[in-house]
Amino acid sequence: MEEVKLHYDVNAYDFTCAGEASGKLKRSLKDLGFDATLIRKVAIAVYEAEINMVIHANGGEITCNVDEQQIEVIMADSGPGIPDLDKAMTAGWSTASPEARELGFGAGMGMPNMKKFSDEMEVQTEIGVGTTLTLRFNL
């Protein structure tokens, strides 16, 4: 398989478009012929990251690299950073605004679901600079 690179932009606080990037990635992976179970795992993990970018991080970018060994998804933002990564990894813990919660977001399952559905997860975060999250899915 020739390496495939995909790129999506995520807009801050744009709840009407939240989930579009992960949906487009899901369709692209389907078009590339990947197994439905793998596509589901990628779509769930990337959706959670995308929603976090919309709610917390002033938007960002999603880059997906596909090769013979893995699907690697890199999500980068210039948001506030994650002040307590351990808490962020705790199911049910959320810093979502009341407005986001009223729309049904901010249940505190984003980071735990990203870890659960990916084979490898790396988080680089710096307060006031932003966060880069890398998810890998083995083929």
Side-chain angles (χ1 to χ4, degrees), residues 56-134:
H56 303 289
N58 305 321
E61 297 181 336
I62 299 173
T63 303
C64 179
N65 303 307
V66 181
D67 62 29
E68 293 179 0
Q69 298 178 353
Q70 69 181 358
I71 298 170
E72 178 185 66
V73 184
I74 302 166
M75 287 134 306
D77 66 60
S78 56
I82 303 170
D84 190 331
L85 192 53
D86 289 334
K87 279 187 182 176
M89 292 302 298
T90 303
W93 187 81
S94 177
T95 59
S97 68
E99 295 82 15
R101 289 176 187 264
E102 286 175 13
L103 294 170
F105 299 104
M109 293 305 298
M111 297 291 281
N113 277 340
M114 288 178 236
K115 185 167 181 67
K116 176 182 177 180
F117 288 101
S118 63
D119 293 309
E120 185 179 340
M121 177 174 151
E122 293 175 17
V123 181
Q124 296 174 316
T125 188
E126 187 175 340
I127 301 304
V129 175
T131 300
T132 299
L133 172 68
T134 302

Side-chain angles (χ1 to χ4, degrees), residues 18 24 27 36 42 53 55 60 76 79 102-103 114 121 124 139:
K24 289 176 183 177
R27 286 187 294 281
V42 173
M53 282 189 211
I55 294 172
E102 286 175 13
L103 294 170
M114 288 178 236
M121 177 174 151
Q124 296 174 316
L139 300 181

